[in-house]
């Protein structure tokens, strides 16, 4: 049976969105474009900094961004250099550093929150700068993970470094790649040489969401590869493993987008609620919603998935 979500999800607030806000980034070769969304009313709005998957843009992931904004969050969505709308050529010298430029973009946004706030009509004085979380899907999960302590072996220097950010208190990684090395297919080695994450320093609170039918062409492992961010990292972690979910996790990349191979509105609704509840839990806004959801999963049979948690040192 389905889990009955104990929250009035239909009581969404109207939201305001503004896109193509440009932040100067001469060191990346072109300015950084972002989209922001927020509820039309309310104060002390916590911040979600979202990283899109490879090739997407600030216009993707509306099922998540719209929901979060309509339920009390200020959501920021950058467009990274790998976006299809930017059209970097294969021989562009930035290609090998795309993963790192993404992280720098995220930090640049955090450095300029006050400027972003000043550009959005009706937003001034409504942002809580002390409550910031991050999230990302697929390649975006690695990007968000870097702010949480995930380290990457750079394909150029073969070195890794701590790129975590003290301003970010926790996060959500959706359908995010596991370890690289001999777990990668030749296709991944040839095209995504930056897929060599190390999770042993990712100690900030994180919810990992994976699908047990997510058979990735990037790994010789099965769908369990996407659960490695949970099993390989220390600290407070939770894993929501979704039954029969593929890489789009039911449709989070966008409304009616063709890349969704496992269209499932109920699954998307669960992810909307679970991420919202987890963010509120991590930010000490309220914990009852997240704990109740975990309790529901632990104490009833359902056809959506399973939630497990740990707190390793």
């Amino acid at each position: 049976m389905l889990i009955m979500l104990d929250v009035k999800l239909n009581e969404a607030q109207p939201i305001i969105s503004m896109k193509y806000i440009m932040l100067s980034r001469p060191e990346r070769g072109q300015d950084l474009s972002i989209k922001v969304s927020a509820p039309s009313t309310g104060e002390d709005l916590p911040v979600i900094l979202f990283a899109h998957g490879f090739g997407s843009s600030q216009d993707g992931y509306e099922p998540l961004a719209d929901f979060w904004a309509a339920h009390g969050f200020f959501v920021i969505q950058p467009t990274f250099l790998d976006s299809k709308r930017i059209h970097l050529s294969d021989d562009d010298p930035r290609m090998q550093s795309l993963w790192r430029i993404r992280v720098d973009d995220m930090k640049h946004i955090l450095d300029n929150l006050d400027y972003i706030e000043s550009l959005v009509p009706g937003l001034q004085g409504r942002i809580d700068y002390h409550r910031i979380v991050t999230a990302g899907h697929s390649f975006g999960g690695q990007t968000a993970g870097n702010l949480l302590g995930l380290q990457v072996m750079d394909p150029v220097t073969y070195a890794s470094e701590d790129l975590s950010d003290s301003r970010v208190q926790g996060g959500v990684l959706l359908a995010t790649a596991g370890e690289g090395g001999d777990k990668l297919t030749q296709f991944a080695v040839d095209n995504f040489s930056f897929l060599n994450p190390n999770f042993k320093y990712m100690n900030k609170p994180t919810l990992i969401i994976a699908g047990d039918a997510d058979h990735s062409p990037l790994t010789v492992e099965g769908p369990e590869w996407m659960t490695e961010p949970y099993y390989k990292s220390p600290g407070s972690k939770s894993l929501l493993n979704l039954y029969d979910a593929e890489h789009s996790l039911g449709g989070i990349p966008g409304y009616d987008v063709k890349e969704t191979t496992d269209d499932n509105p109920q699954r998307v609704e669960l992810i909307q609620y679970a991420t919202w509840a987890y963010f509120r839990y991590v930010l000490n806004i309220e914990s009852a919603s997240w704990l109740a959801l975990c309790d529901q999963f632990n104490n009833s049979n359902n056809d959506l998935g399973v939630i497990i948690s740990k707190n390793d040192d």
Side-chain angles (χ1 to χ4, degrees):
M1 66 178 181
L2 297 178
I3 298 294
M4 301 303 295
L5 304 179
D6 186 23
V7 68
K8 297 178 181 178
L9 295 180
N10 291 328
E11 292 186 359
Q13 300 179 59
I15 68 173
I16 56 174
S17 292
M18 185 174 175
K19 60 183 181 179
Y20 308 132
I21 296 172
M22 306 304 295
L23 302 180
S24 178
R25 287 276 281 129
E27 62 273 33
R28 91 201 272 265
Q30 62 190 92
D31 290 344
L32 172 62
S33 178
I34 66 171
K35 174 185 177 182
V36 301
S37 302
S40 58
T41 61
E43 306 296 324
D44 299 322
L45 304 178
V47 177
I48 299 175
L49 182 54
F50 184 81
H52 65 68
F54 190 88
S56 187
S57 74
Q58 63 187 256
D59 292 324
Y61 301 94
E62 286 185 325
L64 295 181
D66 289 353
F67 181 89
W68 293 332
H71 291 83
F73 284 88
F74 177 51
V75 184
I76 307 175
Q77 297 175 264
T79 294
F80 299 118
L81 288 178
D82 55 85
S83 175
K84 292 178 181 177
R85 65 177 48 178
I86 292 179
H87 304 296
L88 282 192
S89 63
D90 291 340
D91 60 353
D92 190 293
R94 293 170 289 180
M95 289 296 289
Q96 286 293 317
S97 300
L98 285 178
W99 75 271
R100 176 61 185 266
I101 298 172
R102 276 172 158 254
V103 180
D104 292 340
D105 286 344
M106 299 277 272
K107 290 173 176 282
H108 188 71
I109 290 169
L110 295 179
D111 291 340
N112 289 276
L113 277 179
D114 55 346
Y115 173 68
I116 296 168
E117 179 184 358
S118 73
L119 296 178
V120 184
L123 193 62
Q124 288 79 4
R126 299 175 56 211
I127 305 303
D128 187 343
Y129 289 83
H130 302 292
R131 283 186 164 132
I132 300 173
V133 288
T134 188
H137 175 244
S138 194
F139 185 24
Q142 178 172 295
T143 304
N146 282 124
L147 301 183
L148 303 170
L150 179 156
Q151 296 187 12
V152 175
M153 186 183 74
D154 187 280
V156 177
T157 66
Y158 299 103
S160 61
E161 61 180 304
D162 179 11
L163 298 175
S164 62
D165 196 297
S166 61
R167 293 168 290 189
V168 179
Q169 294 168 255
V172 172
L173 308 186
L174 301 128
T176 299
E179 294 178 331
D182 58 8
K183 295 182 180 181
L184 299 178
T185 61
Q186 192 60 48
F187 171 77
V189 172
D190 293 341
N191 294 278
F192 301 99
S193 57
F194 41 75
L195 283 180
N196 277 293
N198 181 339
F199 301 103
K200 67 180 180 180
Y201 303 108
M202 195 178 77
N203 54 18
K204 291 191 177 184
T206 309
L207 168 63
I208 292 88
I209 300 180
D212 72 0
D214 187 356
H215 296 276
S216 173
L218 302 177
T219 182
V220 297
E221 305 285 315
E224 65 274 8
W225 190 54
M226 303 291 184
T227 68
E228 287 191 352
Y230 173 80
Y231 288 106
K232 301 288 186 177
S233 62
S236 176
K237 299 291 182 296
S238 292
L239 171 66
L240 170 56
N241 205 11
L242 297 165
Y243 300 147
D244 302 320
E246 299 177 14
H247 199 60
S248 294
L249 301 176
I252 65 168
Y255 300 116
D256 303 317
V257 298
K258 63 181 180 180
E259 67 188 86
T260 296
T261 56
D262 62 334
D263 185 57
N264 188 317
Q266 293 172 319
R267 187 178 297 139
V268 172
E269 183 177 89
L270 170 61
I271 293 172
Q272 290 170 329
Y273 176 69
T275 53
W276 170 84
Y278 186 78
F279 286 141
R280 289 169 61 86
Y281 170 74
V282 166
L283 293 172
N284 294 315
I285 297 172
E286 63 92 15
S287 60
S289 298
W290 172 249
L291 296 177
L293 181 66
C294 294
D295 186 64
Q296 286 178 314
F297 269 78
N298 289 333
N299 292 291
S300 64
N301 295 321
N302 71 89
D303 57 3
L304 291 176
V306 60
I307 296 177
I308 56 175
S309 297
K310 64 175 185 175
N311 194 359
D312 297 340
D313 295 327

